[in-house]
Amino acid sequence: MKRSILLVVIIMCVALTGCQTIEKEEKIDVNATVTDMQYRSSYVTMMPIYNGQTTTLIPQMHPARYLVTISYEDVSETFNDRNLYENVKEGDTIQIILYKGYDKDDNLIKQTLQFPE
């Protein structure tokens, strides 16, 4: 019992020491490039549900995915957006927001690309 509690405490300490909070944010309008586009069609999988001696297969629907990867310098994000997929092509340049998050010592800890709201 004592070993399991000690193990949980050690795991929590290790997990929580890597957490950093964003103290300062910066949003910059940039022109990013569409670097990859992928379409993945919808499909159905069957999930077995066991109820005593009986097994029932329940269908699970997976919708189509319209994946568009947009890159700016060393930041890259993939969006699942049908409208975007249908209106751009690889190599296009689009305006997007580069979000930067800094910690209390002004160290960059997070960078993402986001569409304007």
Side-chain angles (χ1 to χ4, degrees):
M1 179 71 170
K2 287 184 179 182
R3 285 186 185 182
S4 61
I5 293 173
L6 179 63
L7 182 61
V8 169
V9 170
I10 290 172
I11 291 172
M12 292 298 291
C13 288
V14 170
L16 294 176
T17 55
C19 297
Q20 294 177 323
T21 59
I22 294 175
E23 299 290 329
K24 184 175 100 176
E25 297 177 349
E26 183 179 12
K27 293 182 179 181
I28 306 165
D29 289 331
V30 297
N31 290 320
T33 305
V34 177
T35 55
D36 189 36
M37 296 177 65
Q38 294 180 14
Y39 168 73
R40 297 188 182 154
S41 62
S42 63
Y43 62 97
V44 176
T45 57
M46 301 302 279
M47 175 179 253
I49 303 295
Y50 303 102
N51 185 11
Q53 303 258 343
T54 307
T55 301
T56 305
L57 295 175
I58 305 295
Q60 291 215 314
M61 185 71 176
H62 302 273
R65 298 185 66 192
Y66 298 85
L67 304 175
V68 179
T69 302
I70 300 174
S71 301
Y72 176 77
E73 293 179 354
D74 60 341
V75 182
S76 184
E77 294 290 332
T78 301
F79 300 93
N80 182 14
D81 187 315
R82 182 178 183 168
N83 188 40
L84 178 65
Y85 182 87
E86 292 174 347
N87 291 299
V88 297
K89 60 181 189 273
E90 241 178 273
D92 282 357
T93 301
I94 60 172
Q95 189 166 4
I96 198 162
I97 296 173
L98 173 64
Y99 167 85
K100 293 183 175 188
Y102 298 91
D103 66 6
K104 64 182 177 183
D105 298 323
D106 278 342
N107 297 317
L108 181 65
I109 57 174
K110 182 179 181 180
Q111 287 191 103
T112 61
L113 295 172
Q114 302 172 345
F115 283 103
E117 296 175 8

